[in-house]
């Protein structure tokens, strides 16, 4: 048996090597919320949440407040007799703290709890996330709004790395989007999976067109 003995809430700003733009925003860094959670036996877990006001309505300040004022106090002291208690302990904290819609805050705290409990109970976090491990983990590339020259350069790097799933941000201008996709297909070849993400820039009719 153990219990949640300590929870720290921090923020970190992560600078990007280049600006990342899409239909809703352009950023040169990301400010994320980190949670460090310790159990009574000394096991420590880390979790991270990424509040985006234009995605879930959350801000960094709001997520930090949700953690420090409601979620963390509700989970602090929670007893964990065995691995089966972990999901229920977290859900009880969410219910008690009225934090149903604090998605980034919940994500950071849940990941920290799972990380710490995985170490304490000497088990993979996968046991709480699904019925079986994936046969493989595939990484995909995400391409922001880019000039044709930068787009080709990025595509060449992606091809050299052997990444076969590529998502490109679209929605600024349909002709430019089509030209970008033509360039990508030409550089990456016919067997790469290309996807588009308009980030709410299209109406249903525009999406169909």
């Amino acid at each position: 048996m153990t219990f949640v003995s300590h929870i720290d809430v921090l923020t970190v700003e992560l600078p990007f090597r280049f600006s990342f733009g899409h239909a809703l925003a352009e950023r040169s860094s990301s400010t994320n919320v980190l949670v460090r959670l310790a159990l009574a036996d000394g096991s420590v877990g880390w979790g991270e949440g990424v509040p985006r006001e234009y995605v879930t309505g959350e801000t960094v300040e709001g997520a930090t407040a949700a953690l420090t004022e409601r979620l963390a106090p509700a989970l602090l002291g929670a007893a964990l007799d065995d691995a089966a208690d972990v999901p229920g302990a977290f859900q009880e904290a969410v219910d008690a703290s009225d934090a149903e819609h604090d998605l980034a805050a919940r994500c950071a705290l849940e990941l920290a709890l799972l990380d710490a409990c995985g170490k304490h109970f000497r088990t993979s976090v996968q046991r709480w996330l699904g019925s079986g491990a994936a046969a493989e983990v595939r990484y995909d590339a995400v391409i922001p709004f880019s000039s044709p020259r930068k787009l080709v350069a990025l595509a060449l790097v992606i091809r050299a790395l052997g990444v076969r799933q590529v998502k490109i941000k679209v929605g600024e201008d349909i002709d430019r989007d089509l030209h970008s996709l033509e360039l990508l297909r030409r550089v990456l070849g016919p067997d790469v999976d290309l996807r588009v993400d308009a980030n709410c820039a299209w109406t249903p009719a525009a999406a169909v067109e």
Side-chain angles (χ1 to χ4, degrees):
M1 175 184 174
T2 189
F3 63 89
V4 179
S5 63
H6 191 80
I7 301 174
D8 293 315
V9 178
L10 311 108
T11 60
V12 59
E13 184 172 1
L14 306 173
F16 296 162
R17 290 188 177 181
F18 54 85
S19 178
F20 192 95
H22 54 73
L24 292 178
E26 182 171 349
R27 304 190 312 276
S28 58
S29 66
S30 177
T31 303
N32 298 357
V33 176
L34 302 180
V35 171
R36 178 186 181 276
L37 183 147
L39 302 179
D41 73 317
S43 299
V44 174
W46 287 87
E48 182 179 28
V50 186
R52 291 280 184 268
E53 191 168 9
Y54 54 85
V55 178
T56 64
E58 297 170 277
T59 63
V60 172
E61 295 77 16
T64 302
L67 282 163
T68 57
E69 297 171 10
R70 301 193 302 278
L71 272 167
L75 187 61
L76 201 60
L80 303 160
D81 291 327
D82 56 52
D85 294 335
V86 175
F90 181 76
Q91 190 58 51
E92 286 181 15
V94 171
D95 294 341
S97 60
D98 192 28
E100 180 181 355
H101 301 295
D102 296 304
L103 303 180
R106 285 176 54 183
C107 175
L109 185 62
E110 184 175 24
L111 287 172
L113 177 66
L114 295 180
D115 186 23
C117 288
K119 294 169 182 174
H120 172 76
F121 292 112
R122 298 181 181 278
T123 184
S124 170
V125 169
Q126 178 266 322
R127 71 174 296 163
W128 297 300
L129 301 179
S131 57
E136 62 178 0
V137 176
R138 294 187 298 176
Y139 186 81
D140 68 346
V142 182
I143 299 177
F145 288 161
S146 303
S147 67
R149 177 180 291 183
K150 289 181 179 179
L151 184 66
V152 170
L154 287 169
L156 289 171
V157 172
I158 290 167
R159 189 177 71 181
L161 292 172
V163 177
R164 304 183 66 80
Q165 292 79 36
V166 179
K167 180 173 73 172
I168 182 171
K169 299 294 186 177
V170 297
E172 189 175 45
D173 176 83
I174 187 65
D175 292 331
R176 175 177 172 174
D177 294 339
L178 290 172
H179 180 60
S180 295
L181 286 164
E182 288 171 358
L183 282 176
L184 274 182
R185 182 57 76 198
R186 195 179 309 156
V187 175
L188 297 177
D191 298 325
V192 169
D193 174 28
L194 288 182
R195 291 171 287 146
V196 296
D197 184 358
N199 285 96
C200 303
W202 292 343
T203 64
V208 171
E209 181 183 357

